[in-house]
Each structure stands twice: as structure tokens, then as C-alpha cells.
Amino acid sequence: MLSAYLVEPRKIELREVPEPRPQAGEVVIRVERALTCGTDLKAYRRGHPFIPMPGPFGHQYAGRVSHVAKDVRGFEPDMPVWGVQSAPCGHCPACTRERYSLCAALQRDLAFGAFAQFMRLPRRVVEQNLLVRPEAIPPQRAAFLEPISCVIHGLHRLNLKSLERILVLGLGSMGLLFCQLLPRFTKGSIVAAGRNAARLAIAGRYGLERVLDVAQTPIEGLSAGSNGFDCVIECTGQAAGWRSALQVARPGGQVLFFGGLPKGERVQVDSFQIHYQEISLTGSFHFGPPDVRQAAELLAGGEVRVDDLLSGEMGLAQLDFALRQMEAGKGIKYAIDPWA
């Protein structure tokens, strides 16, 4: 089969490798579509602590069952499925507290390699986070299961009661998904802020209070202090975005740092905000099985618009080009068809 390998930053090789066969508890799927994402772009640019190099690449997928281990129940060849790349162990201290994204074994035996014609899914993923997919959901939409699971996990990290005004800072695919899902969790008004004209236009179709082009109107001048936001969701993954989020949070507010920074990068925080203004700072990483199931329900119910977030469809040989397009701000997500 053909598989895309991330060999080193900015170097992807298309390799012909043996088609995987399932071991005990495993399933092999025929990949129908895999999506590019911000994490892929980070790994492509500079590497990623959870994505081995050189190694198979890609983790947002949908497909059909190809082979099933003899001890696996509930899955049969040609069955449409959707899933994610990890699953918790279920018995470590974090799992017993239902903090599944902090599972000590989460990063073991991950399901990477979605940018390939076939993909092996390990036992834990099969048991917890591989789901039968309704036939009516096309694979390019079904592959959004993983990013929507991440957004839902982030929303559950917040206290969403009695929010009045929320800022989503950064309008990549995750920021746009937050803009869509927030009204299902809170009655607070929502302001979206970003730079890319195409993404601003998409956010403008969501019925938000305001969509702000920060190149024209910096958010620091628009709202600060007591006139700021009681919830800021930072999705830029840039240190400047983290600083801006802190500047516009009102006293008693919350800041969710959803966009991750490189390990070791420091952002200064004014202790006055934390102590005297009681601003809560929260991080969000990954998801747990309950988030995956809630994401599947929303997608199956047609409650999330994802077609606007797809900037095109390409084959495996064009994966490098797709990532460079994203880096240049010329696309949000690309669907990769490994059979094209």
C-alpha cells in the first residue's frame, strides 16, 4: 500500500509499505478520507512531541473495515466506521478521576498513519473510540469526529453558566468550530476575532454578535478591563494570542488556552489579574471517550457545519502541497483521498 511518512520537518515521503494485518483486538480499515489539521502543520513545520519522526502521518480519518482480528466483536468487513487516534487506559489515577486526556498511557500505541490507503487501529482505540458510522455521513465529514471531540472537551473545561460575552480568538478550523458549538452550551453573545478574510467571512455566517478583523481593529483597544469578555477562548496557538487573551478578560472571567505553544515557551502573567481580579486560566488538550460520543451525535444529527471548513480534496502525492497551502493561509483543512 501507499503511506505518507513524515521523515523530518518539511519532508514527507510517499512510501510503498506492506499492508497492515490486525493483531489481537485490532482492526485494519481502508481509509476513505483523512483530514489535514493544525497539529499536522505544527509537526510538518517543527516536529511534535507526540508524532514520531520518521513515521506514518495523519490522525483524522474515516473509512471502512478491511480486516478484523478474530477476537474482535461488533465490526465486520466493509462496515463504515469513524474514530480517533487514541484511547485512555481506564485505570490510572487520571482515568479514575475521569480526566481521560491526562491518562498516563494515552500516548502509547497511537493510531497514526491516516494519510495512507490502510490503517491499523490498536486494541484500546477499537474498544473505546472506534464507532460504526451511519452510511449517510460521507467520509470527508465523518473525519471531523476528532477535531469536534477536542472542541467539546475544551467547552467542558469551562464554567459556562451565566456567561454574558465570549471571545473566540483565532479563526482556524478549531476556532470556527468553537463559534458553531458555543451557542449549544451557553446563551452568552459571541465575538469572533481573526485575520484571514476567507475565515472571517465564514464566521460571519454563524449569526455571532460581531466578527472582528484584528488587522483593522486590535481587540486590546476594543475591550479591556471591566468592559472585556468574561470568557476568552484562545485558538491562535501563538504567544501573542495568549497575551491578547489575558488583556481582554474582564475581572472574574475565564481564559481557555486551547491553542498550544511549543514546550518551554513562556508567557508572562500579571499576578494582579489572577489574585485581585480572580481571572481563571485553563488549558485544554485532547479529549476522552464521552467527548467522542457527543461529537458523533452532533455530526450524525447534522448540527455542525463542516463543509465550509474544507478547502479542497487532494491525493496522497499532494499532501506536502496541502500543508504548504495551509501554512500560507490559503486553506483551512484539506481532505486527502489516498486512492486518488
Side-chain angles (χ1 to χ4, degrees):
M1 71 167 187
L2 291 177
S3 177
Y5 272 59
L6 181 62
V7 178
E8 60 187 46
R10 299 189 179 278
K11 185 176 181 180
I12 295 173
E13 289 183 356
L14 193 59
R15 297 182 177 181
E16 190 168 331
V17 298
E19 181 183 331
R21 287 293 183 264
Q23 302 300 312
E26 297 180 345
V27 167
V28 171
I29 67 166
R30 182 184 191 274
V31 179
E32 292 181 287
R33 294 294 186 279
L35 302 181
T36 62
C37 73
T39 299
D40 295 331
L41 183 57
K42 286 181 184 178
Y44 176 77
R45 281 172 162 171
R46 52 177 166 80
H48 193 282
F50 300 134
I51 298 178
M53 291 189 293
F57 195 28
H59 60 277
Q60 296 180 2
Y61 63 89
R64 290 182 176 272
V65 173
S66 174
H67 294 87
V68 181
K70 293 181 179 179
D71 60 337
V72 171
R73 301 291 178 266
F75 297 101
E76 299 175 356
D78 201 44
M79 180 178 284
V81 292
W82 48 355
V84 295
Q85 76 274 32
S86 72
C89 72
H91 53 74
C92 72
C95 286
T96 58
R97 301 193 309 272
E98 298 185 351
R99 296 297 303 274
Y100 301 113
S101 63
L102 303 179
C103 170
L106 191 68
Q107 305 304 327
R108 298 177 195 164
D109 204 13
L110 294 171
F112 282 123
F115 298 132
Q117 293 175 322
F118 294 91
M119 182 182 185
R120 179 191 69 86
L121 303 178
R123 179 191 291 272
R124 285 211 312 262
V125 170
V126 171
E127 291 176 345
Q128 299 183 60
N129 283 334
L130 182 66
L131 309 175
V132 177
R133 182 180 100 227
E135 285 277 8
I137 302 178
Q140 66 270 22
R141 297 190 76 251
F144 275 88
L145 182 66
E146 195 267 358
I148 293 174
S149 299
C150 291
V151 169
I152 289 173
H153 175 70
L155 290 169
H156 286 312
R157 296 282 292 138
L158 292 165
N159 180 0
L160 295 168
K161 295 180 180 178
S162 303
L163 291 182
E164 296 177 358
R165 200 160 182 244
I166 305 147
L167 173 67
V168 178
L169 180 57
L171 295 179
S173 60
M174 308 307 279
L176 291 167
L177 287 171
F178 269 109
C179 289
Q180 286 196 62
L181 290 172
L182 271 165
R184 304 184 183 281
F185 288 77
T186 176
K187 295 181 179 179
S189 63
I190 302 162
V191 175
R195 295 179 181 275
N196 183 287
R199 299 174 188 186
L200 292 166
I202 292 172
R205 298 196 282 267
Y206 294 161
L208 310 179
E209 174 196 324
R210 183 173 182 180
V211 177
L212 178 68
D213 184 346
V214 297
Q216 303 295 326
T217 307
I219 59 171
E220 293 86 350
L222 177 70
S223 301
S226 60
N227 295 320
F229 299 89
D230 52 4
C231 181
V232 183
I233 301 175
E234 201 293 320
C235 296
T236 71
Q238 302 290 329
W242 282 44
R243 290 190 290 268
S244 294
L246 289 165
Q247 290 177 29
V248 298
R250 68 169 56 152
Q254 307 170 72
V255 179
L256 178 69
F257 295 112
F258 185 86
L261 302 180
K263 185 176 181 179
E265 186 158 353
R266 301 287 190 266
V267 175
Q268 289 188 332
V269 177
D270 186 345
S271 62
F272 184 89
Q273 285 186 289
I274 309 303
H275 181 72
Y276 292 101
Q277 294 186 336
E278 296 187 350
I279 292 176
S280 299
L281 309 182
T282 304
S284 177
F285 167 71
H286 216 60
F287 49 79
D291 305 313
V292 175
R293 276 145 186 80
Q294 189 171 0
E297 290 175 6
L298 290 170
L299 274 166
E303 298 181 57
V304 190
R305 294 165 53 180
V306 298
D307 292 343
D308 287 348
L309 308 184
L310 288 172
S311 303
E313 187 168 292
M314 301 182 183
L316 279 175
Q318 297 170 294
L319 176 58
D320 183 88
F321 175 73
L323 292 169
R324 285 188 280 111
Q325 287 289 97
M326 291 174 61
E327 185 175 32
K330 296 180 180 179
I332 301 176
K333 294 177 78 70
Y334 289 90
I336 303 299
D337 179 355
W339 301 92

